[in-house]
Amino acid sequence: MSTSPSSLPWLFLFLFLSALFRSSQADVGSAAHYSPPYLPTACRGSDPSQFPSSNLFGSAGEGIWDNGAACGRQYLVRCISAPVLGTCVPGKTIQIRIVDRALSSVSRPSRKDTTMALSTTAFAAIANSSAKFVNIEFQQV
């Protein structure tokens, strides 16, 4: 197969645009944080085994709650911006497990209507813990 010299720029343009716009499965949303007590949860009640040993977990906002189907789902989460510069931990991505529904959690999130509320440990891993909320990129795994 030979390529004419006039088609080479189009080929390079196609390859460049393909790399630039490769499909991403990540979504953008926001995350608040919430503190103990974490039990009981909407997912598995008072069962402490639902929490990962890393304490990287969260409660689902209404946008991802999915009538309870979110229980047990795992997400990669990273902070991408916040109202105050320097809030995000650069380059840090964590994996969290959904264990509750933010709307009905025992402990109230630091901000309402976010995509998810993260445990204090999870939030502090990606952002300054004094922030009320951050903007995140998240992807189900």
Side-chain angles (χ1 to χ4, degrees):
M1 175 178 147
S2 69
T3 307
S4 70
S6 64
S7 65
L8 281 177
W10 291 108
L11 177 63
F12 287 124
L13 179 63
F14 174 75
L15 292 174
F16 173 75
L17 291 175
S18 295
L20 186 64
F21 295 109
R22 76 183 159 190
S23 87
S24 171
Q25 300 299 318
D27 290 305
V28 174
S30 58
H33 54 85
Y34 71 127
S35 307
Y38 297 119
L39 291 173
T41 69
C43 292
R44 291 180 58 194
S46 295
D47 180 4
S49 70
Q50 66 187 307
F51 300 105
S53 59
S54 64
N55 286 321
L56 299 178
F57 61 87
S59 58
E62 293 306 290
I64 64 171
W65 175 242
D66 197 14
N67 241 5
C71 290
R73 284 183 185 159
Q74 298 200 38
Y75 290 93
L76 295 175
V77 181
R78 76 180 181 98
C79 180
I80 55 173
S81 68
V84 177
L85 284 176
T87 299
C88 294
V89 175
K92 181 72 174 188
T93 300
I94 59 171
Q95 184 169 328
I96 63 119
R97 179 185 304 153
I98 297 297
V99 298
D100 206 352
R101 181 183 191 183
L103 189 63
S104 62
S105 63
V106 173
S107 175
R108 307 311 310 154
S110 58
R111 183 176 172 134
K112 292 181 179 182
D113 300 324
T114 56
T115 307
M116 59 182 68
L118 302 174
S119 67
T120 52
T121 302
F123 193 88
I126 61 167
N128 183 320
S129 58
S130 65
K132 294 282 184 201
F133 77 100
V134 294
N135 297 311
I136 57 168
E137 182 179 71
F138 65 102
Q139 178 179 0
Q140 187 177 344
V141 291

